[in-house]
Amino acid sequence: MTTLGAVYLPQFPPERLRSVATAADQAGLEELWLWEDCFLQGGIATMAAALAWTERVRVGMGLLPVPLRNVAATAMEVAALDRYFPGRACVGIGHGVQDWMGQVGARVESPVTLLREYADALRALLSGERVTVKGRYVSLDGVRLDWPPPATPPIFAGGIGPRSLRLCGEIADGTIVTGGSSPDDLRRVRALVDEGRDRRATGAGDPHTIVVYVHAATGPTAAQRLAAERARWGYDSMEGRAIAGDAERFAEAIAGWVAAGADTVVLQPTVDEPDPEGFVRFVGEEVRPLVP
């Protein structure tokens, strides 16, 4: 069964998150995804708030930029969220936008090396292990969480280049694929992720969830808003990158990404979406029943 979600963009005011999260929860939406884009809204704070205001919707973070956080601090936060809200927090990690990482003095020479070291240490900490490691970027000396999760939660990762996508398949339980990826793009991503999965020392046959963001708009101004989104992201065209129209059109288009390998399709509204609460209700109440 395909999982369906929506994004609460960090460009929306923080004080509006509560009404959108509760609308998603009430509409039966399965997942609400948040972003930690610099310098908008903090990822862990927004996740905790959204989870506390809701009862059943899973809340994803895609992605936490690892150069900004010591891995022990991230493990403490993720463990706390998992114990407060069992099974409802989905945390993804990634390189972060390199220009932003440079602005805060956190840019590293090898983002791929950092992400590998970070993911390995994070998984070990969340598994309750006492971790001692001295890598190129990650260094821990006998660190163990006093309150690890009862079971190790899944770790998602994201990237864009081939090396990063192979690494996601190797180190993570799921890969988050950026918006603007067509079904054909997704097939190429899935192939690279699968190459990484083949490299795993253990658990190569374990399930690996592919989460893809898809630009989406509905209502009378949908076409105009997606045109503005095209310019904002610098796409040559929105053909195959976005969905516009009614619920039937959404369901038909979503099937294309599912056929290309998506397990979870997360609909990404435009930054000028006039009704974020209405958008998540539309996805949960009208689109969800049409998607197998």
Side-chain angles (χ1 to χ4, degrees), residues 66-68 94-98 101-102 105-115 117 136-138:
V66 299
L68 286 177
H95 304 308
V97 175
Q98 295 306 292
M101 298 304 99
R107 187 167 185 166
V108 298
E109 185 177 0
S110 178
V112 169
T113 300
L114 170 57
L115 189 60
E117 293 180 357
R136 182 174 177 182
Y137 299 111
V138 175

Side-chain angles (χ1 to χ4, degrees), residues 199-226:
R199 298 178 182 177
R200 295 184 68 158
T202 59
D206 292 345
H208 188 98
T209 301
I210 298 292
V211 180
V212 60
Y213 296 134
V214 176
H215 295 288
T218 189
T221 62
Q224 298 95 307
R225 287 186 285 115
L226 284 177

